[in-house]
Amino acid sequence: MNKSVSLTLTDISKRYGQVTALKPMNLEVAPGELIALLGPSGCGKTTTLRIISGFETPDTGSVRIGTRDVTGLSPNMRDIGLMFQNYALFPHMTVAENVGFGLKMRGIAKAEAARRIETALDMVRMRNFGDRAISQLSGGQQQRIALARSLVVNPSVLLLDEPLGALDKKLREEMQFELRQLQRSFCITSILVTHDQEEALTMSDRVAVMGAGEIRQIGTPQDIYARPNSIFVSEFLGTSNIFSGKLRSGFFVADGVPALRIACTGEPDGPSSLVFRPEKLQITAAGKGQINARVRDVVFRGSQYTYELTVDGHEKPVIVYSQQSFDLPGDGVVGLDWSDAPVLLREVAE
Amino acid sequence: MNAVTTQPRRPPRRYRVANAWWTVPAVLYLVLFFVTPMLTNAWRSTGSPAAAGARGIWENYAVLVTDPFYFGVLRETILVAVIVTLVCILLGYPLAYFMVRKAGRWKGLILFCLIAPLLTSVVMRAFGWRVLFANRGLMNSVLIDWGLLERPVNLVNHPVSVYVALIQILLPFMVLSISSVLQAIPRNLEEAARMLGASKLRAFFHVTLPLSVEGIITGAILVFVLCNGNFVAALLLGGNSVKTLPLLIYQQFNLTQDTSFAGAMGNVLLVIALLGLWAQSKFARKQGG
């Protein structure tokens, strides 16, 4: 139902004085796809968003929407919808006037505009709110109006800047699904900028994890979660138990934990790390697992238990998620086992 | 804009140290030096001992409105204030906008330059303009040196110098009123308008300007009221070329000593000022919803 187009960033980069905000970056968003730019603050995701929307000019490179090169175009000529973090609704206009603002700027006739405003309000389930003042709306309602306002003009690309950051947890989870459904039904090419890994994982087709002004890894959420390519990515996305060690003649041996010895064939020797996801580890009776560990704490989290274990010779606690609780022996010593092979990274944490 | 003000709660009675008697000195002071003179003035304006005979209570006011000369003065007073206010809006808004949105780290310096003149007496500043505008003053000698003028233009005792001085005196009030409101407008509202297809100019006229009207109104009323009461500029620079009510009051006291007529004129000025304040409070309440 939409004129879905691709969004292509080619070699865009940006420096502010001595600070490199964005190293030359390439990104291709397929028509109708939602890509999340995920990263800590200062990773360059906001700069990327501002370059796409036209508020910043890249030092190098180009931005293309479909076949249109929009690099030199001012923001109002780009046909991009942007949903701001704090919604940026106009406080001096009613809900309907807010939603209709883009239509008014495009010179669309009043009757046609009124019809489209109504459809848009229907779409976000805010049908009878047209005459309300913005100050009368709750945070979640404002969020819906902001979405309706950016979608009513049928933009080629939708940018979402931390769209759910200002909502409380329950509402945020609801809106994640709703936003995702709307984006799918419109089939609109979208970029979601967020520092919230859960938001990125649940909402996007692909995730681009950014750090220090560049994309560190890009792929489907499942792919990145299961196969992070660096310690940075594995730690930013989900919880990781990382053992640093050395790879020598086909075996990885963890530093300080000689019992943790795993065959890794086909890899050259050198410093390496192993990454275990907490749900891939299993607790067994002492001596029955691959290594032994001591239970330090158990936390009940409703849907699961979180075990915090210590492994002799390993500094950080090891986190294990489990569906069941165990009768722990008096000394708390248990075995640790894993069914899936852990991820091998050819780097060690500093 | 959102008039959600939470009243600070008063502490329970037994913890309150202050009581109503504490206001007595201030009330006495105000009664003695504010209320009494006002009432005296009001009473004085109703009759003139100088003009022996039967002038009615409203005689002085009637003269002000019916006598062509005095009515002209009343009209000119308001006209000067309106022109000065409009020029202050036109000059002040761009300056306030620049200061808030573009000046960055220079904002403090601009603010200082705006406020510093307020620390100098108005009389000193009026004399300053006299020196600048005089026949052999700085302005004329520079313009003649540059070949832009052949003969000196005498702006002292000319309305232009009165307007210039009034604008210089009152502009800071306008800029400060507007900038404080502009400051509170999130910048991403303009960006949202841009993303929805508005050019820079349309974003300004549809979003920024409507949201800053409150600052313009506050500044305008402030400038208008202050301008109405200012006689120094007209006295020191106008040389009778601009006749305003405050100037006339000054002259009534010093030359003709018709204090009852001066009192009546003072009350008219007071009413104009009160009207301005009333209009402002009415507007503010409307904005508050």
Side-chain angles (χ1 to χ4, degrees), chain A residues 49 115 117 122 148-149 178 247 310 331 339 350:
Chain A
L49 185 89
R115 196 185 55 75
I117 291 168
D122 254 358
R149 184 177 71 173
E178 206 170 314
L247 195 66
T310 50
D331 57 358
S339 44
E350 293 108 46

Short mmCIF file of all heavy atoms in Angstrom, two decimals, chain A residues 49 115 117 122 148-149 178 247 310 331 339 350:
data_model
loop_
_atom_site.label_atom_id
_atom_site.label_comp_id
_atom_site.label_asym_id
_atom_site.label_seq_id
_atom_site.Cartn_x
_atom_site.Cartn_y
_atom_site.Cartn_z
N LEU A 49 21.35 9.92 12.35
CA LEU A 49 19.95 10.31 12.20
C LEU A 49 19.83 11.74 11.70
O LEU A 49 19.01 12.05 10.82
CB LEU A 49 19.25 10.16 13.55
CG LEU A 49 17.75 10.40 13.53
CD1 LEU A 49 17.04 9.10 13.23
CD2 LEU A 49 17.26 10.96 14.85
N ARG A 115 -10.17 14.44 6.15
CA ARG A 115 -10.39 13.01 5.99
C ARG A 115 -9.13 12.22 6.39
O ARG A 115 -9.20 11.23 7.11
CB ARG A 115 -10.76 12.72 4.53
CG ARG A 115 -11.38 11.37 4.28
CD ARG A 115 -11.60 11.14 2.79
NE ARG A 115 -10.38 11.32 2.01
CZ ARG A 115 -9.38 10.41 1.99
NH1 ARG A 115 -9.48 9.31 2.69
NH2 ARG A 115 -8.31 10.64 1.26
N ILE A 117 -6.67 13.24 8.32
CA ILE A 117 -6.40 13.37 9.76
C ILE A 117 -7.21 12.34 10.52
O ILE A 117 -6.73 11.66 11.42
CB ILE A 117 -6.75 14.80 10.25
CG1 ILE A 117 -5.76 15.81 9.67
CG2 ILE A 117 -6.74 14.88 11.77
CD1 ILE A 117 -6.18 17.26 9.85
N ASP A 122 -7.63 7.41 13.64
CA ASP A 122 -8.20 6.07 13.75
C ASP A 122 -7.12 5.03 13.88
O ASP A 122 -7.19 4.12 14.72
CB ASP A 122 -9.00 5.76 12.47
CG ASP A 122 -10.48 5.82 12.75
OD1 ASP A 122 -10.85 6.06 13.92
OD2 ASP A 122 -11.26 5.64 11.80
N ALA A 148 1.12 9.47 14.44
CA ALA A 148 0.11 9.80 13.42
C ALA A 148 0.56 11.01 12.61
O ALA A 148 0.41 11.05 11.38
CB ALA A 148 -1.23 10.10 14.09
N ARG A 149 1.15 11.99 13.30
CA ARG A 149 1.58 13.22 12.62
C ARG A 149 2.67 12.92 11.60
O ARG A 149 2.67 13.50 10.51
CB ARG A 149 2.09 14.23 13.66
CG ARG A 149 2.47 15.55 13.07
CD ARG A 149 2.90 16.55 14.12
NE ARG A 149 4.21 16.19 14.70
CZ ARG A 149 4.88 16.96 15.55
NH1 ARG A 149 4.36 18.12 15.92
NH2 ARG A 149 6.04 16.58 16.03
N GLU A 178 2.83 -2.36 18.95
CA GLU A 178 1.92 -1.56 18.15
C GLU A 178 2.68 -0.81 17.05
O GLU A 178 2.26 -0.78 15.89
CB GLU A 178 1.22 -0.55 19.08
CG GLU A 178 -0.12 -0.13 18.56
CD GLU A 178 -0.88 0.65 19.59
OE1 GLU A 178 -0.92 0.21 20.75
OE2 GLU A 178 -1.39 1.72 19.22
N LEU A 247 44.47 -19.31 22.70
CA LEU A 247 44.24 -20.42 21.78
C LEU A 247 45.62 -20.95 21.39
O LEU A 247 46.47 -20.19 20.94
CB LEU A 247 43.48 -19.91 20.56
CG LEU A 247 42.84 -20.97 19.67
CD1 LEU A 247 41.72 -21.67 20.43
CD2 LEU A 247 42.30 -20.34 18.41
N THR A 310 30.37 -18.21 41.10
CA THR A 310 31.78 -17.85 40.98
C THR A 310 32.55 -19.07 40.52
O THR A 310 32.24 -20.20 40.91
CB THR A 310 32.37 -17.36 42.31
OG1 THR A 310 32.05 -18.32 43.33
CG2 THR A 310 31.78 -16.03 42.71
N ASP A 331 27.78 -26.82 50.47
CA ASP A 331 28.90 -25.95 50.14
C ASP A 331 28.63 -25.11 48.90
O ASP A 331 29.45 -24.27 48.53
CB ASP A 331 30.18 -26.78 49.94
CG ASP A 331 30.00 -27.84 48.86
OD1 ASP A 331 28.88 -27.94 48.31
OD2 ASP A 331 30.97 -28.57 48.56
N SER A 339 25.27 -26.95 26.27
CA SER A 339 24.92 -27.81 25.14
C SER A 339 25.44 -27.20 23.83
O SER A 339 26.03 -27.88 23.01
CB SER A 339 23.41 -27.99 25.07
OG SER A 339 22.78 -26.74 25.28
N GLU A 350 39.91 -5.59 27.70
CA GLU A 350 41.00 -4.85 28.37
C GLU A 350 40.86 -5.00 29.88
O GLU A 350 39.78 -4.96 30.39
CB GLU A 350 40.96 -3.36 28.00
CG GLU A 350 41.26 -3.09 26.55
CD GLU A 350 40.01 -2.68 25.78
OE1 GLU A 350 39.25 -1.83 26.29
OE2 GLU A 350 39.79 -3.23 24.69
#
